[in-house]
Amino acid sequence: MTGGFARTIQTYLRPERLPTIWCQGCGNGIVIGALIRALAGSGVRREDVVVVSGIGCSGRASGYLNLPGFQPTHGRALPFATGVKIANPSLMVVAIMGDGDCLSIGGNHFLHAARRNLDITALVLNNSNYGMTGGQYAPTTPKGGLTTTTPYGNAERAVDIPALAQVAGATYVARSTSYHALELSGYIKRALVHRGFSVVEALCHCPTQYGKMNRLGSPVNMLKLQRDLAVSQARAASMPAGELAGRIITGEMVKPEGQGEEDYTTAYARVIKRAMEQARPVEETHECIPSLSGGYDPPLGKPTLLRVG
């Protein structure tokens, strides 16, 4: 790796945290590289970006990125990201989550973040299993897929992340793979600059757990499999349903038209303004107030309160 992108990578990573804990051949590095390329191309200053990541292999990303960020509890990346965004709407907020972190433990939060159209980018790294904790099956494990907890084949259908995001109200939705790194980076960049809740699913390979259980071969073979299975959304529209079984449909599933739908922080700011305009000052006297110790604190005078209505 040489030239400008190498310098960009060095700028956006913390060298003291490297090498990563990710297994050799893991797809996470490719996806984070695509995110860095997108961030650099977005024109937003690094100090104006906050990265919040969940728990799991991909959750370590916030520690490797040289950006303001933190790693909260399992499945709670989006609630913490919501707090950051509401506290300072001018920040660009990115939530990096694994498939289990986002859709199982954090599935409820995913639905409501999309419904509210929060101006947050959700980058979901889908490796089809819980890789860090031993390769258990996840909501995105393909039907029939082998994992350590479904050794005879998964009997459930996998969650279609773009379809779920769309019906929940996300206003930008895209999917690509770690093989299509440049395409993926382009989708992430559009998601970052989109005003509203944006979701990018990045299908990435897990050679240590899911790949080994399903005998998918080396990391290179798994990348080639993504290449061979991927089909663009436009091409898929003309294919018989039977030929789409097991294929990976890529592309932008939801794109804003015109100015798009209003995001949550803009709508909430209007609610606050309306409440402040309708509030009227009233005077109320408190001779004393109860203290935590059970007694009464000294008088505080006459505080001015605001009453709405």
Side-chain angles (χ1 to χ4, degrees):
M1 183 171 56
T2 58
F5 186 58
R7 288 191 292 275
T8 301
I9 286 284
Q10 292 166 1
T11 301
Y12 278 84
L13 291 179
R14 301 177 192 270
E16 70 275 14
R17 298 287 182 89
L18 302 179
T20 71
I21 67 162
W22 296 328
C23 302
Q24 189 173 15
C26 173
N28 284 359
I30 298 175
V31 177
I32 297 305
L35 171 63
I36 290 174
R37 188 182 282 109
L39 285 167
S42 70
V44 177
R45 301 183 309 166
R46 284 191 296 121
E47 54 267 38
D48 293 331
V49 180
V50 174
V51 175
V52 184
S53 60
I55 299 295
C57 298
S58 59
R60 306 303 289 262
S62 60
Y64 301 138
L65 290 166
N66 189 15
L67 297 165
F70 56 97
Q71 184 181 22
T73 49
H74 205 179
R76 312 296 180 239
L78 282 172
F80 280 80
T82 298
V84 172
K85 189 65 187 181
I86 290 176
N88 188 346
S90 68
L91 293 173
M92 174 182 281
V93 181
V94 182
I96 301 174
M97 300 168 285
D99 46 315
D101 185 55
C102 174
L103 298 166
S104 184
I105 299 96
N108 190 37
H109 303 304
F110 182 76
L111 295 178
H112 292 293
R115 177 179 64 83
R116 292 175 179 133
N117 198 29
L118 287 153
D119 186 21
I120 294 171
T121 295
L123 177 58
V124 187
L125 285 76
N126 177 7
N127 65 1
S128 305
N129 75 148
Y130 286 92
M132 176 175 280
T133 54
Q136 297 91 343
Y137 97 107
T140 52
T141 300
K143 190 172 184 177
L146 303 179
T147 69
T148 53
T149 49
T150 56
Y152 305 105
N154 178 29
E156 301 175 2
R157 291 180 293 177
V159 171
D160 184 333
I161 297 176
L164 179 63
Q166 181 175 1
V167 298
T171 46
Y172 179 87
V173 181
R175 175 198 279 146
S176 190
T177 78
S178 48
Y179 176 84
H180 304 85
L182 291 179
E183 176 188 74
L184 175 63
S185 183
Y187 292 159
I188 296 173
K189 181 181 174 183
R190 288 173 209 167
L192 292 173
V193 299
H194 170 69
R195 184 82 176 180
F197 191 67
S198 53
V199 180
V200 178
E201 178 188 3
L203 279 159
C204 55
H205 50 286
C206 174
T208 302
Q209 301 288 0
Y210 191 78
K212 185 176 180 180
M213 284 290 295
N214 291 274
R215 300 185 179 182
L216 299 179
S218 69
V220 173
N221 286 338
M222 294 186 73
L223 282 169
K224 288 180 178 177
L225 191 61
Q226 291 177 0
R227 176 198 63 189
D228 296 339
L229 291 177
V231 55
S232 69
Q233 191 176 209
R235 185 182 163 205
S238 61
M239 293 173 63
E243 294 184 15
L244 288 175
R247 304 298 293 266
I248 303 169
I249 300 176
T250 61
E252 294 174 293
M253 286 66 179
V254 178
K255 292 190 293 185
E257 296 181 1
Q259 293 185 340
E261 186 177 337
E262 183 179 58
D263 70 287
Y264 178 80
T265 50
T266 301
Y268 193 56
R270 192 169 56 252
V271 171
I272 293 173
K273 182 174 184 246
R274 189 183 307 133
M276 295 299 291
E277 288 172 348
Q278 295 181 10
R280 57 186 175 83
V282 295
E283 290 195 349
E284 190 171 320
T285 301
H286 291 283
E287 294 300 332
C288 53
I289 60 174
S291 70
L292 294 177
S293 61
Y296 289 86
D297 289 334
L300 297 178
K302 296 182 178 180
T304 299
L305 305 178
L306 292 177
R307 177 176 295 168
V308 177

